[in-house]
Structures are given as structure tokens and as C-alpha cells.
Amino acid sequence: MNLSEITDGLNDEQSQSVTLGDAQNALILAGAGSGKTRVLTHRIAYLVTQKNTQTDAILAVTFTNKAAKEMRERLEVLLRRPIRSMWVGTFHGLAHRLLRAHPIEANLSAQFQILDQQDQFRIVKRLMKENQVDESKFPVRKIQWFINQQKDEGIRPSDIDAGYNYFVKQSVKVFELYEAHCKANELIDFAELLVRSYELLKNNTELLAHYQNRFEHILVDEFQDTNTIQYKWIKLLSSGKNQIFCVGDDDQSIYGWRGAKIENIQKLESDFHPIQTIRLEQNYRSTGNILGASNALIANNSNRLGKSLWTDAGDGDLIDIYEARTEIDEADYVVSTIQKYIDDGVLPNECAILYRSNAQSRGFEERLIKYNIPYVIYGGLRFFERAEIKDALCYLRLMETSADNVAFERVVNFPTRGIGNATIEKVREFAATNHTTLFQASIEISPSLPTRASNALIGFTQLIEQMQDEAKHLDLSEKVAYLIKTSGLIEHYSNDKTDKAGSKKENLEELIAAAKQYVYDDDSDMNEVTGFISLASLDSSGDTNAPENQNVQLMTIHSAKGLEFPNVFLTGMEEDLFPSRQSKDEPHLLDEERRLCYVGMTRAMKKLSLSFAIKRFLHGQSLYAYPSRFLDEIPSEYINSVKQKFGATIQNYKEEDTFNQDIQPESNGQISVGKTVKHGKFGFGTVLNFEGEGDSARIQIKFKQAGTKWLIASYANLEFV
């Protein structure tokens, strides 16, 4: 392959990034829609074909399994050969590969199992109950979050000084119990994968030197989303002799709430000096007006590394802004507009409705049903997270090793076989006392149990032993098909007459197909079954479901990151909703909300519509709101004000403190609902309601600073703006 094949079709900045010398670290600031995936894949192709770098000397880190798969597929097309020896994957996937390769050095057995979030929750909950930690005072989810937060920072229980904080003291107590339980049962949760692999390298200088020398080039995608332990992991692998090539966009850092540190991308210059920064600013997705508005919005954030997106695709349509009276009106506007698009030949899946909170989806769903427009909520349960799939995989895990206690507990009585909680508790106690597995404990304790419980428990252990024996020589997909039938899962769902039983049967059949399609890596340190189980476990920590064809897409803005749609409706643009109320007093949180808005806007390719409601029923109460400050930050030359169907018009948001002046559904002289008023003490506000007439009238007003108040007209001295 010659150089022109690699650089053909790249713009100047992309080409410069791809062909950088291999002696310098690089930060590629890649704006939304600027072709970063192409730059990454072509960079690797350049290293392999032009610099004679071996594929196993390259480490490529992505943030989702989908991105890893896409990168691998693109590279194999570019290089015209498989690249199995190359380490490509997510942080969690690569950490898992490292631990499988060196379990002894990591103080693990070769049979360690990965815990997903649900399994982790159940274990934490049980440990809290067994150790009298009051769940009403210390919610399980909060304790679970605390544990994972510490691990994301690379912190162990022994590192934490709780001081006089009782919550932290109790959390550390549960953390210690949880770590002891995981150690005793050879369990690794997602956060532990990274911590354990980091400690493995840090504490083994020869092993660290081996991987530092092996990986001549380390490429990291979505660098702005790295957390503390991920950053430390990359920094540890950097020897100063290998090259770090980071691609990211500080303007799209929106995961601070789950541990991502925007300062990581800002620290690169000092920690990996010398480093060359290249900005990819040409956008291949959106029109000029969408980019102009997005640039103006994000310019209000401080401490940016700085870039300005542009396109040569023309200005395109202006951005529509719609002022709705209620969330029902907003949903009507959005869905009726989508119906018009469909009537004009637009496919439903070319339209996306984005919102800040999942709670906003209901109104849109109702209207889509009314209009008979197919839709899907993006971000539902991933395939490997579905209960029936997890049940089947637990049987597969027990077939692989009966020592898997987590799998045992999940399926010992599913499908129901008469093994109650009291029996399982006796098994747990026996296992703990005799330092054995739950499976072995079941065999040994059975003779001492009442006849019914004993027979049920013996029946289960014999079933697993039978499955282990009969499936020994079957290939992976045959094993999956066999266990689905023999375990009783398929019969259970065949006899289930509920609406979802059919889809669950189909999902189990799809698991067989997934096993057939699984490509076993010959270089792997796992056998085929363990590899498949691990893939399923790691997949459940990654991507959400891919959007389905021919359906309008509904999703949160967080879920929309990395996606694009011809027509985007960004809804709920109101103060306290977007930006969220929690962010208003924290500048760094407000900056992240603005970045989130920027991400939402830059999902649009051709048409962007923004909307807000004056009154919204949310979380069980009616709320009156001001338009989001983000609307103020969009210059008027990019805006098209859409008239409401009842005749009111959009206000000029640049005009200080005007709000809904034209809305007059009812009035009493000068007083009207929606009227902007000024009070000598409380400042500007909006009339929400009124009672009575003349000087004795009472007026309810929502003030910008002082909140909502009832005032008597004769004493209020209101100025009607």
C-alpha cells in the first residue's frame, strides 16, 4: 500500500495527523463530525504500511465496544488482512485481557468471573443485610455508587480516612466486606478490572517494562471521557519511548457525573511533553447555520482548548425555535412536524427527539402513537443485560465451572424447582463455614435437609453435572442450544402466556445465533466458552442498543453522543430543566450542561429545531419556566421563530427580561397570564394567575430571582412591561 492510498480524501489537518512523525506525542482536537474515526484508522494503517510497525506493537483504546468493532473492521479493509494480534478494545476489555494473561501476578485464579452492575447490587445488598447496615439510612445504590467512585479514583478502603463522617464510615465498612467477598469468590466488577490491571503493572516492574516496550504506539479515542484510573493506566504504560496519540474534544466532555475528568485532556501538554496539538475543525455532518449557532453557544464556556467548526456544505436552513404553552403543545408541534417530514418522503429513522431527562419522553410517545408513527426509545436494555439472556449465560457458566457462586445463586431455583430462600441460606452458611463453593455445599448438605428440599437441591446439582457431561464435546453454539432446552428455560417461556414471553423465546434463539457468530481469538488466554461469556459480560457495560430502522428515535442527549440524524428536535429548553437546577450554582456543572447542549445541537445534519414550554407537568407537579439561557446565547441571525398554532409569536431572547408578552388567553384589565411585570423589590417576573378585580385583585407572579409570590394589586405597585 502506498502513501497516497492512505491520505487520499483527507483534508490538510487530517493528513497532518495521520502522517505525524513517530517520535512525538499528539493531541488531536477533533470537533463533532470532523472525521476522527477515519483519522485514527488511517493513522494505524500509516504506521503499519509506511513505518513498518507490527500490529502487535499497537494498542488502540476506544470507549465503546461498537467503536472498537468499527475500528477493527475498517482497519482490516484498509490493510486487506486480519489484525487479530493487535490490541483493540475498550479500557475494560483491554484490562480484562491483561488480567486473563497474568492471573497469578494479579493475585487471581484463572477462573475469575466478571460481575455486572446487577450482580454487584445484589451482593452489596446481601452483605449489608447480613451485617446489620440499615438500608433505610444507607441506600444500597448509594453505597454501590460510593464503592465504584472510589475504584474509579484508584482508591482502596485502606486509603480512606472517614473522619467523623458516619456515612463514609459505614460505606467503607461495606466496601471492606464487599472486597473480602469478591476475593473469596474470585469475582471482578467492572471498576475492579481497571484498578486490578493498573496495580498488576505498577507492582510488577518486569511486566510493566515488557508492555511499555511492546506497545510502541498507544492511541486513545474520546480522551475527554477518561476518568482518574484510566488516565493513570495510560500514563503508566507510557515509557517516554513509545508514542501517545490522543483524540478527543473538550467541548464534548459530558460524563462528569460518572467520573470523567475534563482536566485530563488539559493535562496532556504537561504530562506528555513534548506534544503536538492539531485541530480538526472542518465538519462533514452539519450545515453552516447549525455550526454557527453551536460555536456561539460553546464560546460561553471558560477554560476551553479552543476551536471553531466550519463546513463548505452551505448555510442550510435556519434553526427553528418553538415556544409551547405546555409540554402537550410541545409534543404536538414536534410530532406534527415529523408527520409533515414523513409526508414529504423523509424516513422516520431520519428524525430524532432528544431530551435532558427520560421523564420527558411520555408526551412524545403518546403523540407518536396517536399519529401512528413507529418509534423506539434508544438506550433500553442491551441484549446481554436481558434477564432471560443472563439466566442462560449463568447455566453456561456453571457448565464451565460449578464453582461459580454468582451463577449458582441466580439459577438454582429458575425455572422454579422448589428451592426456597431458607434452603439457599442454609447452603450459604454451610459453604462459608466449610470454605467451599455453593455447588459443593449443596451436595454435602442435601442429606440433612427435609425430603422435599433435599430432592430439589440434588435434582439441580445432578442437572448441572449431566449438562457438563453431555455438552463436553459440543461446539459453542450447540452448547448454548443444548442448555436452553435442558435447563428448562425454553419450556418455561413456551408455557408463559404473558405478552413478553414470545420475545424472550426469540432472544434465547438469538443467543444461539450470537454464539455461532462469535469469532474465537486464537491468541486469547481463554478457551472459547470463557471468551464468549467474557464478551457478554463486557458488552453489558458498553453500548446501548443500536437504533432500529424505520423508527423515530427518542433518547436522552447523553445517549445521542456519537450519533447523527438529518432532523433533530432538541426539546425542554427551559431553565431548571436544561440547564438542570443542580447546575445553576456550580460554574463547572453549568459548563458541562452547556457542553451537553452543544452535543445535542451538533447531532443535527440538515435541520435543527429547539423548543421549550411555558408550563410543564413534570415529576408530579406543574412548573412554570423561563426559556433556557442557552437560547439567549444563540445569535438571532441563526434563528427562525416558529409561530404557535394559537397565534402567539416567539420573543426576542436578546431583549432583557421579556417573557411570553404576547400570550393573553385571559385578562383583567392590564393583568394577563403570561404578562411580564416589574416589582420595585423583586425585579422582573411573569404573571401566572390572578383572582378578583381592581385594587383588591390578587396576582400570582413568578419572579426571576425571588421565586413565586402572591401580591395584592393595590400594594404591589407593579410596572407592566
Side-chain angles (χ1 to χ4, degrees):
M1 179 183 287
N2 57 46
L3 181 60
S4 63
E5 289 181 83
I6 296 171
T7 58
D8 188 42
L10 301 179
N11 64 39
D12 291 346
E13 289 74 24
Q14 289 173 333
S15 184
Q16 184 188 356
S17 303
V18 166
T19 59
L20 272 175
D22 56 7
Q24 190 173 12
N25 298 319
L27 167 61
I28 312 302
L29 276 177
S34 63
K36 68 178 179 65
T37 305
R38 194 175 190 201
V39 165
L40 277 166
T41 52
H42 283 245
R43 171 65 177 171
I44 295 169
Y46 172 79
L47 292 171
V48 173
T49 63
Q50 307 302 307
K51 295 295 183 178
N52 299 317
T53 306
Q54 299 297 312
T55 53
D56 61 1
I58 296 172
L59 176 70
V61 190
T62 65
F63 259 81
T64 66
N65 295 307
K66 179 185 173 186
K69 185 183 177 185
E70 184 182 349
M71 181 181 287
R72 187 178 289 277
E73 288 172 348
R74 288 197 190 188
L75 278 170
E76 290 183 345
V77 170
L78 271 172
L79 298 174
R80 304 185 186 100
R81 61 183 173 90
I83 54 161
R84 287 190 180 176
S85 61
M86 182 176 156
W87 283 39
V88 182
T90 64
F91 275 104
H92 292 98
L94 294 169
H96 175 253
R97 183 169 182 175
L98 198 59
L99 294 176
R100 288 290 181 194
H102 309 282
I104 296 170
E105 295 92 332
N107 298 316
L108 292 166
S109 77
Q111 286 76 44
F112 74 84
Q113 297 293 331
I114 302 173
L115 279 177
D116 65 18
Q117 292 287 316
Q118 293 176 9
D119 290 333
Q120 185 190 43
F121 175 85
R122 281 195 293 271
I123 291 169
V124 171
K125 185 179 177 74
R126 181 158 59 78
L127 290 170
M128 288 173 63
K129 185 178 179 181
E130 290 172 354
N131 291 275
Q132 292 79 52
V133 179
D134 190 348
E135 196 178 321
S136 65
K137 294 180 181 176
F138 306 96
V140 181
R141 292 281 181 211
K142 202 168 180 180
I143 298 287
Q144 184 186 23
W145 176 84
F146 175 87
I147 292 170
N148 291 331
Q149 186 190 43
Q150 304 312 308
K151 289 190 178 187
D152 285 345
E153 296 291 322
I155 296 170
R156 295 295 190 189
S158 57
D159 301 324
I160 302 171
D161 180 11
Y164 298 102
N165 190 315
Y166 191 54
F167 172 80
V168 175
K169 280 185 179 179
Q170 289 295 89
S171 298
V172 171
K173 174 185 173 181
V174 178
F175 193 0
E176 289 171 340
L177 292 165
Y178 173 73
E179 284 219 325
H181 178 88
C182 289
K183 185 179 179 181
N185 291 277
E186 297 290 343
L187 301 172
I188 298 282
D189 59 45
F190 291 130
E192 183 71 16
L193 285 167
L194 283 164
V195 180
R196 189 66 68 96
S197 65
Y198 172 77
E199 292 172 346
L200 165 69
L201 295 173
K202 188 180 179 186
N203 299 330
N204 291 270
T205 53
E206 288 185 11
L207 198 62
L208 175 61
H210 165 76
Y211 282 105
Q212 285 178 333
N213 292 327
R214 173 179 173 169
F215 296 129
E216 299 170 18
H217 294 272
I218 300 172
L219 299 93
V220 188
D221 193 11
E222 305 285 7
F223 199 85
Q224 76 280 350
D225 293 333
T226 53
N227 61 26
T228 298
I229 194 67
Q230 289 164 345
Y231 188 86
K232 290 168 73 174
W233 199 81
I234 293 294
K235 194 175 177 183
L236 187 64
L237 279 172
S238 171
S239 64
K241 297 177 183 177
N242 48 15
Q243 190 210 43
I244 306 297
F245 187 92
C246 299
V247 180
D249 182 4
D250 57 324
D251 290 334
Q252 294 188 75
S253 179
I254 59 173
Y255 295 116
W257 51 277
R258 68 181 190 195
K261 300 290 180 66
I262 190 172
E263 53 266 33
N264 286 351
I265 198 169
Q266 298 165 342
K267 289 194 304 184
L268 279 171
E269 190 169 0
S270 57
D271 286 355
F272 295 91
H273 185 81
I275 190 166
Q276 183 168 350
T277 300
I278 299 173
R279 288 168 170 79
L280 304 184
E281 297 177 305
Q282 184 173 358
N283 177 282
Y284 295 93
R285 174 187 299 156
S286 307
T287 63
N289 283 324
I290 293 171
L291 295 179
S294 303
N295 288 334
L297 173 86
I298 201 64
N300 290 277
N301 272 5
S302 55
N303 300 317
R304 294 174 63 228
L305 295 173
K307 70 183 171 311
S308 185
L309 299 182
W310 62 275
T311 181
D312 58 9
D315 291 340
D317 292 341
L318 294 172
I319 297 168
D320 289 342
I321 296 185
Y322 181 75
E323 177 184 316
R325 295 186 68 180
T326 66
E327 78 278 3
I328 296 170
D329 177 28
E330 181 184 42
D332 272 333
Y333 162 72
V334 170
V335 176
S336 63
T337 304
I338 290 173
Q339 183 63 66
K340 289 175 186 172
Y341 289 169
I342 293 171
D343 292 343
D344 291 337
V346 172
L347 296 175
N349 66 338
E350 293 179 332
C351 301
I353 303 172
L354 311 185
Y355 34 75
R356 179 65 179 84
S357 164
N358 274 311
Q360 294 168 247
S361 74
R362 181 181 58 84
F364 299 110
E365 289 187 72
E366 289 175 355
R367 292 305 176 280
L368 287 162
I369 292 168
K370 177 184 173 184
Y371 279 83
N372 200 29
I373 298 174
Y375 73 92
V376 62
I377 295 182
Y378 180 74
L381 278 180
R382 294 176 280 267
F383 179 76
F384 288 110
E385 282 184 337
R386 292 166 182 166
E388 64 276 14
I389 300 301
K390 292 185 71 173
D391 293 334
L393 288 173
C394 280
Y395 276 105
L396 186 61
R397 286 161 58 177
L398 285 172
M399 288 164 64
E400 191 66 11
T401 171
S402 56
D404 191 329
N405 288 344
V406 174
F408 177 95
E409 289 212 42
R410 183 175 182 100
V411 297
V412 65
N413 196 40
F414 189 82
T416 305
R417 49 180 60 92
I419 303 171
N421 289 332
T423 302
I424 294 170
E425 189 56 43
K426 288 177 182 176
V427 173
R428 283 198 199 107
E429 289 173 2
F430 185 92
T433 304
N434 295 277
H435 306 289
T436 188
T437 66
L438 295 178
F439 189 88
Q440 188 60 36
S442 298
I443 296 171
E444 295 182 28
I445 201 176
S446 291
S448 65
L449 296 174
T451 304
R452 186 177 173 187
S454 175
N455 290 340
L457 209 52
I458 290 169
F460 177 71
T461 56
Q462 289 179 344
L463 171 67
I464 298 301
E465 288 172 339
Q466 173 199 331
M467 291 168 72
Q468 288 173 335
D469 187 57
E470 294 184 4
K472 198 175 292 180
H473 303 295
L474 300 177
D475 67 27
L476 178 61
S477 63
E478 290 171 336
K479 280 183 179 177
V480 174
Y482 169 80
L483 78 85
I484 287 170
K485 182 181 178 182
T486 310
S487 66
L489 288 173
I490 204 77
E491 183 183 2
H492 171 79
Y493 290 115
S494 297
N495 296 329
D496 187 350
K497 303 305 179 188
T498 60
D499 293 341
K500 294 183 179 179
S503 66
K504 291 185 176 184
K505 277 180 64 181
E506 290 171 4
N507 287 337
L508 289 172
E509 290 162 0
E510 182 62 25
L511 184 63
I512 302 171
K516 280 183 182 175
Q517 294 166 1
Y518 173 65
V519 180
Y520 177 60
D521 186 352
D522 295 329
D523 295 331
S524 172
D525 297 284
M526 300 170 278
N527 63 34
E528 188 179 30
V529 174
T530 306
F532 181 68
I533 292 168
S534 298
L535 171 74
S537 300
L538 291 166
D539 185 82
S540 68
S541 72
D543 313 322
T544 52
N545 292 330
E548 298 176 25
N549 290 330
Q550 304 306 312
N551 294 291
V552 173
Q553 312 296 319
L554 275 69
M555 66 192 76
T556 64
I557 308 170
H558 281 101
S559 298
K561 188 169 180 292
L563 304 176
E564 60 183 33
F565 305 93
N567 307 287
V568 169
F569 296 85
L570 190 53
T571 63
M573 299 290 295
E574 299 136 34
E575 288 290 301
D576 295 342
L577 180 59
F578 195 26
S580 68
R581 183 175 298 172
Q582 293 80 4
S583 70
K584 293 181 73 172
D585 298 324
E586 299 285 344
H588 72 283
L589 293 179
L590 187 60
D591 281 356
E592 181 156 319
E593 288 287 294
R594 187 174 284 108
R595 291 194 294 269
L596 186 61
C597 186
Y598 174 82
V599 166
M601 291 171 67
T602 54
R603 299 312 92 195
M605 300 165 70
K606 295 179 181 178
K607 188 67 184 177
L608 175 63
S609 297
L610 309 176
S611 58
F612 68 95
I614 299 163
K615 181 181 178 183
R616 182 178 299 276
F617 190 81
L618 195 65
H619 307 307
Q621 57 181 331
S622 289
L623 305 169
Y624 289 86
Y626 286 92
S628 170
R629 68 188 69 194
F630 300 152
L631 296 175
D632 272 336
E633 295 170 1
I634 301 174
S636 58
E637 65 256 34
Y638 301 117
I639 291 174
N640 172 51
S641 299
V642 180
K643 290 186 177 181
Q644 295 172 323
K645 58 188 178 184
F646 48 81
T649 58
I650 286 289
Q651 302 303 305
N652 180 357
Y653 304 114
K654 291 298 181 184
E655 211 171 284
E656 183 69 24
D657 291 301
T658 59
F659 180 46
N660 306 329
Q661 292 184 10
D662 295 341
I663 301 173
Q664 298 183 1
E666 54 181 325
S667 64
N668 180 8
Q670 280 188 295
I671 306 170
S672 63
V673 173
K675 191 77 172 178
T676 299
V677 298
K678 185 179 181 182
H679 186 272
K681 180 179 179 182
F682 303 131
F684 289 95
T686 303
V687 176
L688 303 183
N689 199 0
F690 55 84
E691 298 174 351
E693 296 180 359
D695 289 345
S696 62
R698 294 173 70 243
I699 310 170
Q700 187 185 34
I701 303 169
K702 180 180 175 68
F703 293 101
K704 268 193 170 181
Q705 305 299 328
T708 301
K709 300 184 181 294
W710 279 97
L711 303 175
I712 298 177
S714 57
Y715 298 107
N717 294 322
L718 297 173
E719 180 184 342
F720 292 87
V721 181

